[in-house]
Amino acid sequence: MGPIRTIALVGNPNAGKSALFNALTGARQKIANYPGVTVERKAGRLQLLQSGGTSEPVELIDLPGSYSLADTTSPDEEVTRKFVLGELEGEAHPDVIVVVLDAANLEQHLVFAQEVIALGRPTVVALNMVDLAERDGLVLDPEALGHALGVPVVPTVAVRRRGLAELAAAMGEARVDDPGHVDDRRIGHLTLPERRLAAQNIAKAAILSESGAHRLYSGLDRALLNPWLGPLILFALLFVIFQAVFAWATPFADALDAGAGTLTDLARASMPEGIARDFVTEGVIAGVGSVVVFLPQIVILFFFILVMEASGYMARAAFLMDRLMAGVGLSGRSFIPLLSSFACAIPGIMATRSIADPKGRLTTILIAPLMTCSARLPVYLVIIGAVIPNIRVAPFIGLQGLVLFGLYVAGIVGAMAAALLLRRTVMRGKASGFIMELPRYQWPILKDLMIGLWQRAWVFLRRAGTIILTATIVLWLLLTFPRGDEGESQVGASFAGQIAGAMHPAFEPIGFNREMTLALVPAMAAREVAVSSLATTYAIDSEDENRTIEALRGRIADLWGLPTALAFLAWFVFAPQCISTIAVARRETNGWKWPAFMVGYLFALAYIFAGITYWGAIALGL
Amino acid sequence: MLWQRGAMTLDQLPCGSSATITAVAWDMLAPEEALRLRVLGVDEGAKITIAHRGIFGGRDPIAVNLGRMTIALRRVHAAAMQVTKA
């Protein structure tokens, strides 16, 4: 037999599989997608002492958590099944399979473990979280369990790095031709209830003593899932998260902005004046920089999301929100992706992967751009500052803040209405149900959090370096060529300007002037570019950004009427003004059909509501 | 066991009560949801305790304790399961 090259890590969700994977491989992990499906492929390297006596690197694959091999109910479980069976295209048949079990939940986890062992591949069982099981009052006999299953069983505590060396040794020695293995293959012919019964018997034999069914932290659920207290706690937590995302991120975002400024200065100083320099400063640095400034917000948001996930609270949040989401034909699982979308729709759309029901997932993707992402904030702040008077309508409530709040609410209401409509038309189907395990509460492990944060940040930065870079270069080209004559506005003379000129008749009925139409074109790269575009068109040239904003506000207050400004705000509530979001939707839905639909219905909504706002405001005499 | 006319279903149980699932009308559920419930162990013969219920819409969803697991499901699923109180 040759050396072991690939090892697959499988197990039920919540078995502590990812923690074990992190402990075994450290931070050096590769994240990619399995071809053709939006399931994450996580792989890491590990030095393994092989049976020949040599130490060689092996690839360890962390497969998606599964409840069953035979009865798969999600794309994730399908990938696990095919991978383990060696049927996944482009993937080697794993030489060894490691089944991770939650020691405190043997009767459930053994159902799946039996299926894997029955395949007859070299298998090792990691009896994980034995410390928690002990605290739960369970004393287990790993040897008896190994005897019953016919494969080596190694007790581990991934988060304390206990049992890792023993597990690695067992992996290196795993072989098919273990005696006593053959008999157990009959399990493969068992039905699900029979496997369940067998699991109960095996678990019973492996449990030496059990002091009551005491569940650690079970009292927590009494408060967190309390029908009245639970939602209050959840909303308090959401409030803190929002505060953090918008307040804590500012210094870091400013630092990144300053960094981009320094880079621009450096390029200006070291390159000769001309098109090439403009390309670097106005195209590449400004374009990518405008997206990278959102990194602090995304990292902070993901910090909270990862803590909520690792602690087990996320499933409770989904439970609490389920009834509300069911009202519009979605389930509690859609809550987290939509929450993420308040920072940025890109991580939000990626987070829809956890929604098992395909129609529920697609609906969530289609409405995610309606959540007010942070890129809209600069646009909102400039326009509101320009046209809404800074007065108080009630103690502590300013009119400007009220309008801003109203824009957020408009996005949420729009999303809920869209979901309701979509679920009754193109996404019609049996209500996407809500069935999920509420995992045991656990303290999040700092190292796992850090690895998770780094991975999210990296995925985001990689996107900024590819899709977003390309989009900004194309836009820069459109804005730069053909060159305008002396004294003529470059933006007006450019292809983008010509496109805006052609578009303008369509936007006149909803009150948009030429400059506004023009601002919509570069805003496709990122919404907040609308602000700098307006500044350029109104020929406000200032090195100091704050003075630019002030001057722009003055100009808008002079030139735009209130109806026009409100129509512009309404447009930004709905318009899919972001190429990256469309690109992510394409990747996550494997085609252009749904992104095209999304862009179409959102632009239609934006047009209709901007029009209603404009004519409504005029009718009211504003 | 067979589905019995008028027998109590899981969705009628209040918080804190324990019961055994005696029959499930699988055809009332979407096939993939039925499968998901079964692989989680929510099946005929399972002994469950109602741990939590929501506030709105007939106190939907429902969290049930099953062995050492807690599983959330909707009232429509629970309505397809007949139980006998423990």
Side-chain angles (χ1 to χ4, degrees):
Chain A
M1 248 182 120
I4 297 166
R5 296 278 177 224
T6 51
I7 298 180
L9 210 55
V10 300
N12 279 39
N14 311 313
K17 199 164 50 63
S18 292
L20 191 61
F21 178 74
N22 285 343
L24 285 168
T25 63
R28 284 158 296 136
Q29 304 176 1
K30 266 171 67 184
I31 298 193
N33 261 16
Y34 291 101
V37 284
T38 49
V39 176
E40 240 168 36
R41 180 189 194 274
K42 275 171 84 177
R45 294 212 156 265
L46 165 79
Q47 281 291 330
L48 200 64
L49 190 66
Q50 309 253 355
S51 54
T54 55
S55 173
E56 281 183 53
V58 292
E59 192 182 33
L60 188 67
I61 318 273
D62 185 14
L63 288 171
S66 295
Y67 289 106
S68 173
L69 278 186
D71 308 311
T72 56
T73 56
S74 73
D76 279 19
E77 290 186 330
E78 190 60 27
V79 161
T80 299
R81 188 182 77 88
K82 282 189 174 164
F83 196 106
V84 167
L85 295 176
E87 290 172 0
L88 201 62
E89 231 171 284
E91 297 284 354
H93 202 172
D95 300 309
V96 176
I97 303 172
V98 178
V99 187
V100 187
L101 301 181
D102 175 1
N105 199 359
L106 275 185
E107 354 184 316
Q108 169 67 20
H109 287 204
L110 280 173
V111 179
F112 174 68
Q114 290 177 85
E115 272 187 288
V116 177
I117 292 164
L119 298 174
R121 303 285 301 170
T123 306
V124 176
V125 168
L127 190 60
N128 200 23
M129 305 197 276
V130 280
D131 58 333
L132 291 181
E134 274 163 27
R135 265 197 281 173
D136 251 11
L138 274 177
V139 183
L140 297 167
D141 182 353
E143 254 174 64
L145 186 60
H147 194 74
L149 293 173
V151 296
V153 173
V154 183
T156 57
V157 182
V159 296
R160 292 185 211 297
R161 309 192 58 83
R162 257 168 58 192
L164 296 186
E166 292 85 345
L167 183 62
M171 288 193 272
E173 288 162 9
R175 281 291 172 267
V176 196
D177 42 16
D178 277 351
H181 204 194
V182 187
D183 285 348
D184 293 305
R185 279 187 216 173
R186 274 181 298 147
I187 291 168
H189 304 295
L190 297 181
T191 62
L192 180 61
E194 286 169 328
R195 270 204 307 278
R196 190 170 301 287
L197 194 66
Q200 279 164 5
N201 289 331
I202 296 171
K204 220 173 274 171
I207 294 172
L208 293 176
S209 73
E210 188 176 8
S211 59
H214 170 75
R215 272 171 58 108
L216 200 61
Y217 305 130
S218 67
L220 261 181
D221 268 341
R222 253 187 292 267
L224 296 179
L225 290 187
N226 179 289
W228 305 104
L229 198 57
L232 270 179
I233 295 172
L234 175 61
F235 283 110
L237 182 67
L238 292 182
F239 182 77
V240 171
I241 294 176
F242 265 72
Q243 279 294 313
V245 165
F246 288 107
W248 300 358
T250 315
F252 300 101
D254 289 348
L256 281 174
D257 226 15
T262 313
L263 270 181
T264 308
D265 292 344
L266 212 67
R268 283 220 175 107
S270 59
M271 291 174 76
E273 198 170 325
I275 277 289
R277 195 179 80 176
D278 289 351
F279 171 74
V280 172
T281 57
E282 290 165 21
V284 177
I285 299 179
V288 174
S290 70
V291 180
V292 171
V293 289
F294 292 110
L295 185 64
Q297 290 192 327
I298 286 176
V299 167
I300 290 175
L301 179 75
F302 269 109
F303 170 77
F304 283 102
I305 287 181
L306 288 171
V307 169
M308 281 165 79
E309 257 167 12
S311 62
Y313 184 69
M314 195 64 96
R316 272 76 180 181
F319 181 84
L320 290 170
M321 293 304 289
D322 181 62
R323 184 55 229 177
L324 229 55
M325 306 298 290
V328 295
L330 294 173
S331 85
R333 283 185 191 258
S334 296
F335 172 64
I336 297 314
L338 293 178
L339 178 66
S340 306
S341 301
F342 278 106
C344 176
I346 296 168
I349 288 174
M350 292 196 299
T352 59
R353 290 175 178 188
S354 64
I355 304 170
D357 171 55
K359 282 182 176 168
R361 173 163 185 253
L362 207 47
T363 310
T364 312
I365 290 176
L366 291 176
I367 64 166
L370 283 169
M371 297 292 131
T372 303
C373 69
S374 50
R376 285 173 172 98
L377 209 53
V379 182
Y380 287 174
L381 292 180
V382 167
I383 311 284
I384 288 175
V387 299
I388 307 292
N390 189 9
I391 52 168
R392 296 207 175 281
V393 289
F396 302 108
I397 299 175
L399 185 61
Q400 292 187 336
L402 201 63
V403 171
L404 184 65
F405 181 71
L407 293 172
Y408 271 85
V409 172
I412 297 170
V413 172
M416 294 302 120
L420 197 62
L421 220 69
L422 288 169
R423 290 292 297 178
R424 303 214 162 166
T425 53
V426 283
M427 293 293 155
R428 203 206 310 261
K430 233 178 156 43
S432 62
F434 177 67
I435 299 163
M436 82 188 284
E437 186 185 345
L438 303 182
R440 200 171 33 189
Y441 286 109
Q442 274 178 60
W443 280 107
I445 307 304
L446 190 65
K447 186 189 166 194
D448 292 343
L449 282 182
M450 288 305 137
I451 290 176
L453 269 186
W454 163 245
Q455 286 167 350
R456 296 297 142 201
W458 178 241
V459 166
F460 178 77
L461 286 176
R462 200 169 50 189
R463 192 177 314 281
T466 52
I467 297 172
I468 296 173
L469 180 64
T470 316
T472 47
I473 288 174
V474 169
L475 263 170
W476 181 82
L477 290 172
L478 287 177
L479 281 162
T480 312
F481 296 101
R483 306 298 293 166
D485 296 326
E486 198 63 37
E488 188 188 2
S489 147
Q490 169 55 34
V491 187
S494 67
F495 286 120
Q498 291 166 23
I499 294 169
M503 277 162 56
H504 185 230
F507 284 90
E508 237 173 342
I510 59 167
F512 283 23
N513 57 36
R514 230 187 106 86
E515 290 75 20
M516 289 160 74
T517 316
L518 187 56
L520 297 183
V521 180
M524 284 306 293
R527 289 175 176 89
E528 69 278 23
V529 181
V531 173
S532 54
S533 163
L534 282 172
T536 320
T537 340
Y538 285 125
I540 295 161
D541 197 17
S542 166
E543 288 297 310
D544 178 17
E545 199 183 321
N546 287 331
R547 279 186 38 215
T548 311
I549 300 285
E550 275 315 303
L552 181 60
R553 276 190 182 152
R555 208 55 81 79
I556 288 172
D558 292 342
L559 295 175
W560 297 12
L562 188 56
T564 300
L566 290 178
F568 198 61
L569 289 175
W571 171 272
F572 270 90
V573 170
F574 297 102
Q577 288 279 15
C578 174
I579 283 184
S580 326
T581 301
I582 301 165
V584 171
R586 194 209 74 83
R587 207 191 64 181
E588 296 292 314
T589 59
N590 278 321
W592 280 112
K593 184 179 159 200
W594 292 111
F597 177 81
M598 179 173 97
V599 171
Y601 100 87
L602 287 175
F603 269 136
L605 273 183
Y607 193 85
I608 291 166
F609 277 91
I612 290 175
T613 310
Y614 179 66
W615 290 107
I618 285 186
L620 288 171
L622 292 172
Chain B
M1 236 163 75
L2 285 175
W3 186 264
Q4 288 173 335
R5 229 165 227 291
M8 189 184 237
T9 50
L10 183 59
D11 60 313
Q12 295 164 345
L13 293 175
C15 255
S17 55
S18 299
T20 304
I21 299 175
T22 50
V24 184
W26 293 114
D27 50 345
M28 278 171 70
L29 305 169
E32 61 276 13
E33 291 185 356
L35 197 59
R36 189 154 271 264
L37 286 168
R38 289 189 62 199
V39 296
L40 281 168
V42 184
D43 204 342
E44 285 169 25
K47 289 178 175 58
I48 53 100
T49 304
I50 307 280
H52 305 279
R53 299 193 66 154
I55 9 174
F56 306 111
R59 307 215 60 188
D60 206 15
I62 303 168
V64 298
N65 283 343
L66 171 69
R68 285 173 175 268
M69 288 204 299
T70 306
I71 294 159
L73 41 84
R74 286 235 181 112
R75 218 158 56 99
V76 285
H77 307 130
M81 295 169 189
Q82 288 194 334
V83 292
T84 51
K85 269 186 120 167

